[in-house]
Amino acid sequence: QVQLVESGGGLVQAGGSLRLSCVASGRTFSSYAGGWFRQAPGKEREFVAAISRSSTFTYYADSVKGRFTISRDNAKNTVYLQMNSLKPEDTAVYYCAADILFKTDDNTWLYWGQGTQVTVSS
């Protein structure tokens, strides 16, 4: 059992940066792959990035490659999403997720946080 809490969202101008954090409680987060998803109003939730248990593997949606970086600190039970060169189309609620399997381009993950709002102005 894992509980996830996101933080770090906010309002930023286009071209700016934010770093999102996801803190896990319960079983150690090192036992799980971590992921980030986002959902904009009127749109389905979409995959953003994923990272394996030991950080050996990462994968990104094409829309964020070169701009976003996913990382983790298992000693702190935390996964991060560094978001650079933000665009208005990045505006969404961002969700942290965890699963025993490493998944890409898939939103059927086992555990989910409540989300944090990211708004990018033009």
Side-chain angles (χ1 to χ4, degrees):
Q1 183 73 284
V2 175
Q3 295 80 44
L4 306 173
V5 179
E6 304 95 333
S7 64
L11 175 65
V12 64
Q13 291 185 340
S17 299
L18 287 172
R19 190 175 80 157
L20 306 183
S21 298
C22 174
V23 179
S25 62
R27 297 185 65 179
T28 178
F29 195 64
S30 65
S31 298
Y32 299 86
W36 286 97
F37 297 78
R38 65 188 183 186
Q39 186 169 24
K43 300 181 67 176
E44 293 186 343
R45 186 165 57 202
E46 65 176 343
F47 171 82
V48 174
I51 188 167
S52 62
R53 293 183 298 174
S54 63
S55 302
T56 301
F57 306 105
T58 58
Y59 194 79
Y60 299 91
D62 288 342
S63 59
V64 306
K65 285 181 179 177
R67 300 189 298 121
F68 292 9
T69 302
I70 188 170
S71 62
R72 65 193 299 161
D73 185 343
N74 287 338
K76 297 180 178 180
N77 286 336
T78 302
V79 63
Y80 304 96
L81 185 68
Q82 179 66 47
M83 310 165 65
N84 298 327
S85 301
L86 284 162
K87 305 174 181 179
E89 52 262 44
D90 295 319
T91 295
V93 176
Y94 282 71
Y95 297 91
C96 179
D99 204 297
I100 59 173
L101 301 176
F102 179 72
K103 300 180 178 181
T104 62
D105 298 319
D106 185 357
N107 65 2
T108 58
W109 288 53
L110 185 60
Y111 301 108
W112 294 88
Q114 295 300 306
T116 185
Q117 177 71 47
V118 172
T119 302
V120 183
S121 65
S122 59

